[in-house]
């Protein structure tokens, strides 16, 4: 089964990202419409990568899925788990377009059914409450939000204070793009204008499931548009901008590089000398196998016009070495 959704969250999740959005249908004229549950609330989808430890989407595959992208999932298999009823496995995920950021569009994704955020007014819920729940994603408008910065051990974390149906919630921000804008002073700490936010119920942490700000969207002016519910840029051509080898400085940061299985094919894991790990998908997987070690000198980084990056492995050196090994050898003279 295939499904489409509008991406409303591309947030931090362990070593990768949590991608989630509201399911939509798309007709032959590229018109989209929100799919709703029997209670009238939007139906959500959270793709789960079966090849990662916590179902997170690898950063290399998530980086080209900005908010408001229209995403197609192929081979969808629902795997609901307690409050995370929206989780699905999939065989392929790709962006096919985007939707407008106008109020008339964003308001269609709003949850007007649930009047509290995930079963209570605290910042987190306990495990029994999570086990009895039936949803873990919401999209709401926020008119008077406030961003608070916490500096701990030279690292800044951000919280959002928001009021929903008369209750003030104090929640952590996990939207990396909004965090980047705050760090760069493109968005000021303090009072925020009218926003739309995606709320998510996280995985268990210290015996509780925390409520998180997983996506932040500032709407554009709400001008009347005859094609507001059209998938736009659906046929945008994605081209290769550059193919460059890893620099010597980049190679020195890598302790080991090897091929790993990925939900969308194969990827390269870069295990860093400082203990971290990065992942990038392989755009051409010919001649490489899972768990194969790759020399950083044979790795090219491919950058595409939509901003995402991938790895290309040069196998020419290996082919030459295999050819040399097949050459006849003369016996040693005693």
């Amino acid at each position: 089964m295939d499904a489409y959704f509008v991406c409303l969250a591309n947030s931090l999740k362990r070593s990768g990202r949590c991608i989630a959005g509201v399911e939509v249908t798309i007709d032959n004229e590229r018109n989209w419409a929100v799919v709703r549950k029997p209670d009238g609330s939007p139906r959500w989808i959270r793709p789960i990568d079966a090849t990662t430890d916590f179902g997170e989407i690898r950063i290399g595959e998530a980086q080209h899925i900005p908010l408001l992208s229209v995403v197609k999932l192929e081979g969808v298999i629902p795997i609901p788990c307690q409050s995370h009823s929206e989780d699905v496995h999939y065989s392929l995920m790709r962006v096919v377009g985007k939707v407008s950021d106008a109020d008339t569009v964003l308001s269609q994704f709003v949850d007007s059914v649930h009047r509290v955020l995930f079963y209570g007014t605290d910042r987190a819920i306990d495990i029994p409450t999570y086990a009895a729940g039936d949803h873990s994603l919401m999209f709401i408008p926020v008119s008077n939000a406030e961003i608070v910065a916490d500096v701990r051990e030279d690292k800044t974390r951000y919280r959002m204070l928001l009021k929903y149906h008369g209750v003030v919630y104090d929640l952590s921000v996990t939207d990396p793009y909004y965090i980047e804008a705050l760090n760069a002073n493109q968005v000021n700490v303090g009072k925020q204008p009218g926003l739309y936010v995606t709320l998510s119920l996280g995985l268990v942490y210290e015996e509780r499931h925390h409520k998180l700000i997983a996506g932040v969207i500032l709407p554009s002016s709400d001008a009347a548009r005859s094609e507001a519910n059209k998938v736009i840029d659906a046929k945008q051509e994605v081209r290769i901008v550059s193919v460059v080898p890893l620099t010597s400085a980049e190679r020195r940061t890598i302790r080991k590089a090897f091929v790993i299985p990925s939900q969308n094919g194969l990827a390269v894991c870069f295990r860093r000398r400082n203990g971290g790990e990065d992942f990038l998908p392989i755009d051409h997987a010919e001649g490489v196998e899972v768990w194969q070690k790759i020399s950083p000198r044979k790795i090219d980084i491919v950058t595409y016009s939509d901003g995402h990056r991938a790895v290309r492995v040069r196998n020419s050196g290996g082919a030459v070495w295999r050819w040399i090994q097949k050459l006849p050898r003369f016996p040693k003279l005693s």
Side-chain angles (χ1 to χ4, degrees):
M1 180 181 73
D2 297 343
Y4 294 90
F5 68 90
V6 175
C7 179
L8 298 175
N10 186 338
S11 61
L12 304 174
K13 181 179 182 180
R14 303 298 172 103
S15 61
R17 297 288 179 82
C18 174
I19 303 287
V22 166
E23 186 176 358
V24 295
T25 57
I26 301 177
D27 64 20
N28 293 333
E29 302 298 322
R30 307 301 292 173
N31 297 300
W32 61 266
V34 172
V35 177
R36 298 189 180 275
K37 296 160 67 173
D39 64 4
S41 62
R43 181 186 296 169
W44 285 77
I45 290 179
R46 180 190 286 110
I48 297 296
D49 190 328
T51 68
T52 57
D53 292 338
F54 300 98
E56 68 272 22
I57 307 300
R58 301 186 195 281
I59 293 176
E61 295 172 346
Q63 64 183 353
H64 67 288
I65 307 178
L67 299 185
L68 301 181
S69 297
V70 178
V71 181
K72 181 180 181 181
L73 288 181
E74 298 180 13
V76 174
I77 302 175
I79 52 164
C81 179
Q82 301 172 345
S83 280
H84 274 220
S85 61
E86 308 90 352
D87 293 3
V88 301
H89 279 158
Y90 63 97
S91 60
L92 184 66
M93 177 167 59
R94 59 190 178 94
V95 174
V96 297
K98 63 181 182 179
V99 302
S100 165
D101 60 356
D103 266 310
T104 50
V105 171
L106 299 178
S107 61
Q108 296 180 60
F109 308 127
V110 167
D111 187 326
S112 57
V113 174
H114 301 101
R115 299 182 67 84
V116 296
L117 303 185
F118 306 132
Y119 324 113
T121 58
D122 292 337
R123 297 175 63 178
I125 62 173
D126 58 25
I127 292 175
T129 302
Y130 173 84
D134 63 357
H135 70 286
S136 64
L137 291 158
M138 295 175 63
F139 188 72
I140 64 171
V142 180
S143 57
N144 293 304
E146 181 179 357
I147 293 293
V148 178
D150 289 332
V151 180
R152 301 177 186 175
E153 299 177 352
D154 297 327
K155 185 174 183 180
T156 303
R157 294 177 173 84
Y158 298 98
R159 307 185 339 264
M160 180 181 289
L161 305 179
L162 63 88
K163 182 180 286 188
Y164 186 64
H165 289 289
V167 177
V168 176
Y169 295 83
D170 183 352
L171 308 177
S172 295
V173 177
T174 60
D175 179 340
Y177 306 105
Y178 196 65
I179 292 172
E180 183 179 346
L182 287 164
N183 288 336
N185 296 320
Q186 296 171 351
V187 175
N188 294 324
V189 171
K191 299 292 184 181
Q192 305 295 306
L195 303 170
Y196 287 87
V197 300
T198 299
L199 301 150
S200 177
L201 197 55
L203 299 174
V204 65
Y205 175 72
E206 295 182 346
E207 303 301 318
R208 305 192 80 194
H209 293 266
H210 290 259
K211 305 169 187 180
L212 307 169
I213 305 294
V216 181
I217 299 175
L218 179 64
S220 65
S221 58
D222 193 6
R225 303 186 185 188
S226 60
E227 297 187 347
N229 274 49
K230 286 277 191 182
V231 176
I232 54 181
D233 291 344
K235 296 182 179 180
Q236 180 181 9
E237 181 182 356
V238 178
R239 56 185 176 81
I240 293 176
V241 175
S242 64
V243 181
V244 296
L246 287 173
T247 66
S248 57
E250 290 172 326
R251 293 198 301 267
R252 284 195 296 270
T253 68
I254 299 171
R255 182 164 64 87
K256 182 168 64 172
F258 54 96
V259 180
I260 59 172
S262 168
Q263 192 74 39
N264 284 350
L266 296 177
V268 170
C269 172
F270 297 97
R271 188 158 290 168
R272 303 291 179 178
R273 295 188 184 278
N274 63 6
E277 288 185 342
D278 297 317
F279 306 88
L280 281 177
I282 298 177
D283 72 337
H284 292 294
E286 295 181 8
V288 296
E289 299 177 351
V290 175
W291 311 123
Q292 175 183 338
K293 292 182 181 180
I294 303 294
S295 168
R297 294 182 180 274
K298 294 183 179 181
I299 291 176
D300 291 334
I301 302 298
V302 185
T303 302
Y304 293 84
S305 56
D306 65 353
H308 82 276
R309 301 194 308 160
V311 165
R312 186 168 295 175
V313 179
R314 284 179 272 110
N315 288 316
S316 57
V320 171
W321 175 245
R322 287 192 295 271
W323 177 78
I324 291 173
Q325 288 181 314
K326 292 181 181 179
L327 290 175
R329 298 185 181 185
F330 295 100
K332 290 183 179 181
L333 297 175
S334 57

